[in-house]
Amino acid sequence: MLEALEVSGVATFQDLGRSGYQQYGLPVSGALDWFAYQIVNRLLHNSQNAVVLEIGLGEIVLQAKRDCALAVTGAGFEVQNYVWTFPLWTSFYVRAGWTVRIKKIGGGNWAYLGIAGGFKTPQVLGSASAYLRGGMGRLIQAGDILESGTPSAELSKLVARNFAPQAAMPYSQTPTLGVIPGPQRARFNHTFFETEYTVSQSFDRMGYRLAGPAVQALDQTELISEGMTTGSIQITPQGQPIVMLADAPTTGGYPKIANVITADLPILAQCEAGISRIRFKEVSLEEAQAKYKALAQTAAKPC
Amino acid sequence: MFKPLGDAAMLVELGQQIDPLINQRVHALNFLLRAVAGIIETVPGYCTLLIHYDALNYSFDQIKVIVEEKMNQLGEMHPETGRRLEVPTRYGNASNSDIGLVAAAKNISIADVIRIHAEKEYRVYMMGFTPGFPYLGILDERLKMPRLPTPRNQTQAGSVAIAGLQTGIYPLASPGGWHVIGWTALKLFDPNNTAPFLFAPNDVVKFIPLDAADA
């Protein structure tokens, strides 16, 4: 059990998300960086769908109300526990009364705080993931008590475990992200695949607007609205790409030039506004699925 | 016809236009794909069906074989419609109502706008935009309006609105680019209800104008 002492930025509970309701217009939600989410639970031997705290755009200070085991994954943050500073991707012991500060230092957008036993929070429609626009869950505020479930083992057995993410997930601010051409790829010229983009200041859990050269549409016919998915890259009538993420609408009316592959979505999620330099490279469906499978296997191995 | 949308979804294109018969095929295919192993969930569009599949255990081609098999059964299917729902509507009563603007643009009276909008039965062609938002068609040509030049920052929940040959109802207060002509007190989305969504794709909807006295 933890108490939030200070919160700046955005902190929400997330899990694997809410499936089965997309045909009613309800997005899946869940962690933006699916890999960091899975590993933080793996480090603590939690269930695969355990609830974690997603932290972005600032920092959070928490105080342990009783002894617990924590881990933080993601990119762009550091952890100060009692008198030590920890890197991410490590589980550690926190005594009752100690404070833990999770602080943005740059090089990423989102941190995932896991606790042995998972956070306990009510589920709505089968998931604890916050979806603020739909009135589900809420922002964590100073003074909130964050309850947790029963750890799967003695705390001493769950701490000092670590995972080196770089081999599996090469987080970078200058990545080349794999994409699969979208259903309306033929409407556009090659600009999108040949130039660099950064994340604009307009980014949130719904999606990231990219800043860079406008993408010319050769065919301006209005698209009839259709379903889209996490990673879909829509091109606005002004030629601006928007990558749809966890809280994005389930359908859209702008043409989709491409889709970021599942394996590279965590890298995109951690690309910072104005700093990142992103290129997109076409990959085959077989290559994308093989990469996703390999990562899912890595995430399923005990740490 | 079968296009990948990323590495875990397949877009099935059944046509290229907003057409009741094409949309019925979308819903019929959606019905046949319920509870099929490998398919996680589906999203009907006007003339497409998006299939989210389990990419860790199924290839695109395996899913394609399953979908093609179901499509072969479509010809024999009697097109079913969903439930028939009535929507009591106070026309012209929403904050920021555009009903006067619509009447002026179409050179008809406000009473005509209400009569034309309420006399037809609509089908839920698809849902999206925000949770519980029904895209209803097909609106009478006489009410065809473009989207607002600049979307409103806030359209209140329950607003009944039109755009092109579509009409819809805003479940939540949200930005919106459609012309608002009325308001309903019905709740379209309540996450804490056991039936969180009022509408489902393929339902049939009829607007019932309320007199000012009922309002």
Side-chain angles (χ1 to χ4, degrees), chain B residues 67-104:
Chain B
V67 176
E68 275 175 330
E69 191 182 303
K70 298 292 181 188
M71 281 177 75
N72 290 334
Q73 299 169 23
L74 276 184
E76 307 140 33
M77 270 199 65
H78 184 69
E80 291 184 42
T81 52
R83 302 158 303 165
R84 187 179 183 281
L85 294 151
E86 294 190 343
V87 178
T89 303
R90 273 188 273 160
Y91 283 94
N93 213 1
S95 63
N96 301 322
S97 173
D98 303 312
I99 198 165
L101 201 149
V102 173

Side-chain angles (χ1 to χ4, degrees), chain A residues 71-88:
Chain A
V72 183
T73 59
F77 285 75
E78 70 175 17
V79 184
Q80 294 163 0
N81 173 23
Y82 192 51
V83 294
W84 302 284
T85 296
F86 280 87
L88 305 189

Side-chain angles (χ1 to χ4, degrees), chain B residues 27-148:
Chain B
H27 292 300
L29 180 62
N30 189 33
F31 182 81
L32 290 176
L33 289 171
R34 258 180 234 182
V36 168
I39 294 178
I40 298 168
E41 59 182 312
T42 51
V43 184
Y46 280 103
C47 42
T48 58
L49 185 67
L50 181 66
I51 299 169
H52 295 272
Y53 63 91
D54 171 8
L56 291 177
N57 295 299
Y58 291 81
S59 71
F60 183 88
D61 288 338
Q62 283 173 306
I63 297 294
K64 191 176 152 203
V65 168
I66 295 170
V67 176
E68 275 175 330
E69 191 182 303
K70 298 292 181 188
M71 281 177 75
N72 290 334
Q73 299 169 23
L74 276 184
E76 307 140 33
M77 270 199 65
H78 184 69
E80 291 184 42
T81 52
R83 302 158 303 165
R84 187 179 183 281
L85 294 151
E86 294 190 343
V87 178
T89 303
R90 273 188 273 160
Y91 283 94
N93 213 1
S95 63
N96 301 322
S97 173
D98 303 312
I99 198 165
L101 201 149
V102 173
K106 294 292 159 188
N107 202 17
I108 52 179
S109 69
I110 288 180
D112 287 336
V113 175
I114 298 172
R115 184 178 51 75
I116 296 167
H117 187 261
E119 74 189 358
K120 252 185 132 169
E121 280 192 340
Y122 301 100
R123 174 194 300 274
V124 180
Y125 274 73
M126 58 176 272
M127 296 177 75
F129 174 57
T130 57
F133 185 101
Y135 286 86
L136 305 168
I138 293 176
L139 187 68
D140 193 292
E141 283 275 356
R142 287 171 290 174
L143 296 182
K144 187 177 179 181
M145 291 287 289
R147 278 157 217 256
L148 296 171

Side-chain angles (χ1 to χ4, degrees), chain B residues 92-99 152 154-156 178-181:
Chain B
N93 213 1
S95 63
N96 301 322
S97 173
D98 303 312
I99 198 165
R152 275 195 183 93
Q154 195 79 319
T155 302
Q156 79 179 89
W178 292 21
H179 286 89
V180 174
I181 60 169

Side-chain angles (χ1 to χ4, degrees), chain A residues 53-132:
Chain A
L53 192 63
E54 182 180 84
I55 301 151
L57 307 175
E59 64 180 68
I60 186 165
V61 180
L62 303 141
Q63 184 175 45
K65 292 287 156 193
R66 65 172 79 101
D67 293 5
C68 56
L70 304 179
V72 183
T73 59
F77 285 75
E78 70 175 17
V79 184
Q80 294 163 0
N81 173 23
Y82 192 51
V83 294
W84 302 284
T85 296
F86 280 87
L88 305 189
W89 306 86
T90 306
S91 63
F92 54 93
Y93 198 90
V94 181
R95 288 204 182 284
W98 287 6
T99 59
V100 176
R101 179 182 296 265
I102 301 164
K103 186 181 168 189
K104 185 161 160 66
I105 53 170
N109 296 315
W110 307 100
Y112 294 86
L113 168 68
I115 188 165
F119 289 105
K120 262 169 57 179
T121 183
Q123 290 199 338
V124 182
L125 302 177
S127 164
S129 289
Y131 169 51
L132 301 177

Side-chain angles (χ1 to χ4, degrees), chain A residues 20-24 226 262 289, chain B residues 7 11 41-42 48 53 132:
Chain A
Y21 301 101
Q22 290 195 73
Q23 65 171 309
Y24 301 98
E226 60 187 28
T262 307
Q289 290 180 338
Chain B
D7 51 26
L11 187 72
E41 59 182 312
T42 51
T48 58
Y53 63 91

